Amino acid sequence: MSSDTTRPRAGDGDPERTDASETGGTSPELSVAPAVVDEADWVDPVAEEADGEGELDPDRVLIPLLSPVGGVPDIVVDEHRLVEAGQALAAGSGPVAIDAERASGHRYGQKAYLIQLRREGSGSWLIDPIACPDLGPVAQGIGDAEWVLHAATQDLVCLAEVGLRPARLFDTELGARLVGLPRVGLGAAVEHYLGLSLAKEHSAVDWSTRPLPEPWLRYAALDVEVLIELRDAIAADLESQGKSEWARQEFEALLSFAGPPPRVDPWRRTSGMHKVRKRRAVAIVRELWQTRDRLAEQRDTSPGRVLPDVVIVELALASPSSPAEIEGVRELRSARRNVRAWIDAIHRANAVPEAQLPPLNLPGVGPPPPRAWADRDPVAAARLAQSREALAAFSQEHSVPAENLLTPDVMRRALWTPPAAPDETSFRSALERMGARNWQIDIAAPILAQACSDHA
């Protein structure tokens, strides 16, 4: 645990320029908890976290945040220290900053391998949820205090798995979107509001490693070091812009977030699937994907480490019938491991009767893609275009992403099949059923109703 003392701020002492860059932030559509989500609109938070947001301002003078105040806390790995952590958090005051580190790309699934917490008066705590799988004492210590997270949808599910569920929360990433920051990754927001730079060089490491290296632990502790200060700065901007109620409703909706909706035929997301144009080859992809998934789960490793997607597709196209046909092909060299499992999977797929082969594509669910609207229903296309334009104008005027005003999926559903009496009252009811918040409905319902009136 580290103690609370004053840290330097931009302009204090001898500031030092850094060239640190920030990546990450979730998709705008992950920043809400919609009741209805089209699979095509769901963005994997882990993959999205790796996307860059542009370079930092090279002329900005920043103070690098290199070490937690009070040093790097020892990791909590036993029940006695877990109880101590819970008691310390209970004795603290104000919100609780919380973060979790997973082993995405290294292990199977998205479980937490390190949890970081910080609260005024209790300092920072690093907890090993593998050694301490039930964090009940910590949950009791936090009680109904507000959680502060950055990109909450990335961590809420894995925290719930170890018994941590918020009664209230503040998402600094979502708050940064609502106030109009052009870059909303943690490092970018900390730079903007606090004049500090956060290093991100350990963001993609294997957090299941034991023991965890000290530099990784320092990085992890720094992720919650200034999170509460960041929360207060964003909250002040929300208040000054008249958006506090918007944020409150969004944060409340996140309390019920339980992860992305389950996919139908998740194996169809295999990279390179567009190359597969025969139903028999589709069946081979399915069988190989499911075999790989079972092996990955058994070994607790990332599926891509068992067999890359590109090799699944190559195997489906080639349909080898024996290990010898794999051994000599350079593009299939990673399939030489577990070769018998892959050949058996191909044999099973080739034994599927023709009538039972999976279709090349699943039938569409919900509205067609927007590019097809003009041909399918020109009137609906005109409604969509007008609504998009109006929301874009509101977005620009109020400095908030259009995707946060109303998710594209909800807009498409509402306009493709509008209410029988497409007035504002009917649209309000329809949007509410689809999971929109009241503040979004207040903005969007009149826009959609007007578009339907203009293009009846």
Side-chain angles (χ1 to χ4, degrees):
M1 184 206 50
S2 62
S3 59
D4 295 313
T5 59
T6 303
R7 67 180 59 79
R9 297 290 297 275
D12 298 335
D14 296 315
E16 175 181 332
R17 180 177 300 177
T18 76
D19 294 321
S21 63
E22 167 65 11
T23 63
T26 57
S27 159
E29 294 191 49
L30 285 181
S31 298
V32 295
V36 179
V37 180
D38 190 312
E39 286 186 2
D41 285 328
W42 182 261
V43 180
D44 178 3
V46 176
E48 186 74 1
E49 178 71 7
D51 289 345
E53 294 181 333
E55 295 298 320
L56 299 185
D57 180 355
D59 297 323
R60 182 77 185 275
V61 177
L62 305 172
I63 295 176
L65 195 57
L66 300 177
S67 185
V69 172
V72 179
D74 294 331
I75 304 180
V76 175
V77 295
D78 59 57
E79 186 69 22
H80 175 76
R81 287 276 289 156
L82 192 65
V83 171
E84 184 182 342
Q87 293 171 342
L89 290 164
S93 61
V96 178
I98 185 165
D99 189 27
E101 305 294 348
R102 299 174 301 279
S104 304
H106 300 276
R107 294 288 185 171
Y108 187 87
Q110 294 296 322
K111 71 168 65 173
Y113 285 92
L114 185 70
I115 293 172
Q116 310 99 281
L117 304 104
R118 182 174 179 82
R119 191 180 195 186
E120 183 69 28
S122 72
S124 296
W125 293 85
L126 301 180
I127 298 176
D128 182 350
I130 305 305
C132 304
D134 181 2
L135 300 192
V138 170
Q140 185 176 357
I142 295 174
D144 62 357
E146 178 187 85
W147 287 22
V148 182
L149 309 96
H150 191 84
T153 54
Q154 294 188 24
D155 293 334
L156 286 172
V157 175
C158 67
L159 290 170
E161 289 175 352
V162 293
L164 297 180
R165 296 174 177 82
R168 295 180 292 140
L169 68 80
F170 189 108
D171 184 340
T172 52
E173 189 263 0
L174 178 49
R177 290 188 184 280
L178 294 178
V179 299
L181 260 62
R183 299 165 47 254
V184 296
L186 179 59
V190 167
E191 174 197 323
H192 175 84
Y193 282 106
L194 307 179
L196 302 171
S197 67
L198 277 174
K200 302 297 289 183
E201 68 268 23
H202 300 306
S203 60
V205 299
D206 181 1
W207 288 96
S208 69
T209 300
R210 294 296 184 272
L212 285 165
E214 195 274 346
W216 298 11
L217 297 175
R218 185 187 312 117
Y219 158 89
L222 289 174
D223 267 0
V224 294
E225 180 78 3
V226 294
L227 203 51
I228 294 172
E229 293 177 57
L230 178 62
R231 173 245 183 262
D232 292 343
I234 293 173
D237 265 3
L238 288 166
E239 181 65 27
S240 68
Q241 294 180 19
K243 298 174 180 175
S244 292
E245 177 59 19
W246 297 5
R248 186 197 66 77
Q249 292 180 27
E250 290 300 308
F251 300 158
E252 183 176 333
L254 283 171
L255 296 176
S256 60
F257 181 78
R263 294 190 181 279
V264 176
D265 291 354
W267 50 269
R268 291 184 181 273
R269 299 280 292 181
T270 303
S271 297
M273 189 73 182
H274 63 281
K275 299 178 183 178
V276 180
R277 298 176 181 175
K278 295 183 179 180
R279 293 175 63 201
R280 182 69 61 186
V282 170
I284 295 174
V285 170
R286 177 180 64 183
E287 200 65 44
L288 288 170
W289 190 96
Q290 292 173 344
T291 299
R292 179 185 70 173
D293 197 63
R294 287 192 295 270
L295 289 173
E297 185 174 16
Q298 291 167 7
R299 299 171 186 179
D300 190 16
T301 191
S302 169
R305 290 173 175 262
V306 177
L307 190 68
D309 278 11
V310 65
V311 179
I312 287 182
V313 171
E314 290 298 327
L315 286 170
L317 296 176
S319 186
S321 59
S322 69
E325 294 179 50
I326 290 177
E327 289 295 330
V329 182
R330 182 175 181 274
E331 291 76 14
L332 302 180
R333 60 186 180 278
S334 61
R336 296 169 193 167
R337 299 188 304 271
N338 311 299
V339 65
R340 191 71 256 171
W342 313 134
I343 292 298
D344 289 347
I346 292 169
H347 286 167
R348 288 194 297 273
N350 283 327
V352 174
E354 192 75 24
Q356 297 177 20
L357 291 173
L360 282 176
N361 298 292
L362 292 175
V365 177
R371 63 181 178 273
W373 283 35
D375 292 331
R376 298 273 297 274
D377 189 338
V379 174
R383 294 177 195 140
L384 180 63
Q386 179 172 319
S387 299
R388 282 175 161 177
E389 184 177 352
L391 280 174
F394 189 99
S395 164
Q396 185 171 3
E397 180 182 356
H398 295 273
S399 299
V400 61
E403 303 95 320
N404 288 96
L405 297 174
L406 191 67
T407 65
D409 173 65
V410 170
M411 186 193 302
R412 290 195 298 268
R413 289 174 184 271
L415 290 173
W416 184 253
T417 311
D423 55 19
E424 183 176 335
T425 300
S426 297
F427 268 112
R428 292 188 69 89
S429 298
L431 293 176
E432 184 177 8
R433 288 194 301 272
M434 288 187 275
R437 260 65 70 199
N438 286 337
W439 75 272
Q440 296 173 314
I441 295 171
D442 290 341
I443 296 166
I447 290 174
L448 304 188
Q450 185 64 52
C452 283
S453 175
D454 292 347
H455 302 281

